[in-house]
Amino acid sequence: MKLAATPALFLTSVLACLTACQSAPVMTPTQSPLAPNQRPLLAASAQQPTADPGFDPAMQSDQYLCVVEPATNNRSTLKIMNLQTRWVRRIDLVGRVLTMTGDHSNGKLYLSVRSGTSSPYYEMFVLDLKNFQLDRSLSFSQARLVPIDVKVRGSEAFVSAKEGGIGGLLRNELDTGAWEYIASHFPAGSLEWGDRPNLIQSVYFGDDNIERTTIDIDSQQIVDRQKFPHGVPFGNNVGLLAPQGKFFYAFHQLQGEVSLYAFDINQGAVNRQVALQKAVGILYSTVISKDGTRLYASIDNRIERFALQGSFARKMPTIQLQAPDARHLSLSEDQRTLYVSHENTEQISRVSAVDSENNYRVDAFALAGKNEEIIVF
């Protein structure tokens, strides 16, 4: 079912400024009634230094670190650090950044943002790291959607969302802004591509059950549903979906102890033996490698690591960090370097060869301000 693209609402102060560490001027763009995909919110190339040519997809090394800093009055600041020169750009947004998704092949960063408090407004922005231009890509709220997760492929965004409390999967044509329902009436959850290009999977981690819905985006049909009790006790539970959606991992935290559960979704089975390998401390963030063989978690001032093989997990040696209160995590494109933000400090920790049993290296560098969500290009 096709949904007509809704005309863009008149935005008020969507984005306030772009500054650099070395520059003082603040630029405030004028408002514009153009459609979201037509209206560039910021063209930063005029202020871009000659020493900073922008993201180069052909380069193998890490080039830019993007970090969210919360600001007052329900605002956020996106900080973009050139990892070679340590030159920093700052982009101010109205609203809180909920998620960041990177498209390394095209050098684009997609940000889901929520503004407002009593009546939240959800939208997505795209930052092109090749020229540092930020655009409002789409509005979830104009389509009456509350987003759960987003996957971007080419010029299309696939969104698991709720509309009026009913879960569904939608496709948005980023070039035109047109929405299209692919499937509905299932629990909207985390998205992961299937083992074929036409398949996408939504996995919902509820209080009692895990539910996976497999959808054929070509035929717009739900082709498989699986639901089984996960048996994870009540507490602070964090779920993580493996590539292709075949396995699911859940960290359970209660009274300062952290346990790991592993699930084979195809078999509807849980490996409870993993839960015996407990860690002590406060769990904050997790990340899994693209090949599904490594799992990392920030707990207190350390990184706990697990070597994964399906529903089996082996605890690797712990990595101690010098800075306290490890928070958000991001893996480099080659999956071998882990970047870590910290609470109440300007330090960013970097763990090289993080997948190695014992030959890893830890260093740190400063990024001024409060650092929360983090992603590396």
Side-chain angles (χ1 to χ4, degrees):
M1 175 178 66
K2 292 279 187 181
L3 299 181
T6 307
L9 293 179
F10 190 82
L11 298 180
T12 303
S13 301
V14 176
L15 184 150
C17 69
L18 172 75
T19 63
C21 289
Q22 299 93 328
S23 61
V26 175
M27 300 175 60
T28 304
T30 57
Q31 297 170 333
S32 168
L34 294 178
N37 59 296
Q38 298 174 323
R39 179 166 45 82
L41 295 181
L42 178 67
S45 56
Q47 296 220 348
Q48 183 177 333
T50 57
D52 191 2
F55 180 78
D56 182 359
M59 289 184 61
Q60 299 299 315
S61 60
D62 299 338
Q63 301 173 56
Y64 293 93
L65 189 68
C66 302
V67 182
V68 173
E69 177 179 352
T72 58
N73 299 321
N74 197 36
R75 304 174 74 92
S76 301
T77 298
L78 178 64
K79 298 180 290 190
I80 308 157
M81 171 182 276
N82 184 312
L83 290 172
Q84 280 68 48
T85 66
R86 301 295 167 86
W87 195 86
V88 179
R89 299 171 183 272
R90 300 173 68 91
I91 300 177
D92 292 345
L93 291 166
V94 173
R96 296 296 190 191
V97 175
L98 303 177
T99 62
M100 295 196 296
T101 302
D103 180 357
H104 286 75
S105 61
N106 293 312
K108 292 184 177 181
L109 173 64
Y110 295 89
L111 306 100
S112 295
V113 176
R114 180 185 64 200
S115 58
T117 52
S118 58
S119 299
Y121 191 84
Y122 299 91
E123 52 196 335
M124 188 170 77
F125 297 88
V126 56
L127 174 67
D128 191 334
L129 285 165
K130 297 187 296 297
N131 56 21
F132 303 101
Q133 177 171 300
L134 183 76
D135 291 294
R136 178 173 178 253
S137 180
L138 60 88
S139 169
F140 302 108
S141 292
Q142 286 183 20
R144 301 181 298 278
L145 302 173
V146 177
I148 306 298
D149 197 11
V150 180
K151 287 287 186 184
V152 176
R153 186 166 67 182
S155 62
E156 297 178 326
F158 296 87
V159 182
S160 66
K162 291 182 179 180
E163 181 182 1
I166 299 175
L169 177 73
L170 299 94
R171 171 168 42 205
N172 181 274
E173 299 289 344
L174 296 174
D175 293 337
T176 65
W179 287 96
E180 179 182 18
Y181 257 106
I182 296 177
S184 63
H185 291 82
F186 65 87
S190 300
L191 293 177
E192 187 59 57
W193 295 109
D195 54 7
R196 297 196 301 275
N198 60 311
L199 297 181
I200 194 169
Q201 301 181 100
S202 171
V203 176
Y204 173 74
F205 182 51
D207 292 338
D208 302 310
N209 300 302
I210 291 177
E211 299 182 57
R212 183 180 70 179
T213 307
T214 304
I215 302 161
D216 187 323
I217 59 177
D218 290 342
S219 66
Q220 300 187 356
Q221 298 290 324
I222 295 175
V223 296
D224 188 49
R225 297 178 188 257
Q226 289 176 287
K227 177 181 178 180
F228 61 92
H230 53 63
V232 179
F234 174 80
N236 180 20
N237 298 322
V238 178
L240 198 63
L241 183 60
Q244 297 187 354
K246 295 180 179 180
F247 300 97
F248 188 85
Y249 304 93
F251 281 96
H252 168 67
Q253 179 174 271
L254 187 64
Q255 297 180 342
E257 288 190 338
V258 181
S259 304
L260 175 64
Y261 288 76
F263 303 89
D264 184 333
I265 300 181
N266 288 337
Q267 302 298 321
V270 54
N271 181 2
R272 301 183 193 279
Q273 296 300 314
V274 181
L276 298 178
Q277 304 183 29
K278 294 182 179 180
V280 178
I282 304 301
L283 170 71
Y284 198 89
S285 181
T286 60
V287 67
I288 191 170
S289 62
K290 291 193 296 186
D291 63 1
T293 63
R294 292 290 188 270
L295 177 60
Y296 306 100
S298 58
I299 299 178
D300 291 346
N301 67 329
R302 65 188 191 273
I303 302 299
E304 296 291 353
R305 304 181 295 162
F306 297 86
L308 304 177
Q309 187 174 4
S311 60
F312 295 92
R314 175 180 62 85
K315 193 174 183 301
M316 299 173 64
T318 298
I319 297 177
Q320 294 288 338
L321 304 175
Q322 294 181 351
D325 301 326
R327 290 297 184 251
H328 296 273
L329 308 175
S330 179
L331 279 169
S332 60
E333 181 66 7
D334 67 3
Q335 309 294 283
R336 301 214 64 210
T337 304
L338 182 71
Y339 292 82
V340 188
S341 65
H342 294 267
E343 180 78 10
N344 298 322
T345 176
E346 296 181 349
Q347 292 294 304
I348 299 291
S349 293
R350 177 171 53 191
V351 185
S352 304
V354 68
D355 56 336
S356 173
E357 196 78 17
N358 295 297
N359 295 326
Y360 55 84
R361 300 179 303 279
V362 180
D363 68 343
F365 54 89
L367 178 55
K370 184 178 177 62
N371 301 311
E372 292 195 347
E373 292 87 352
I374 185 171
I375 189 170
V376 63
F377 276 78

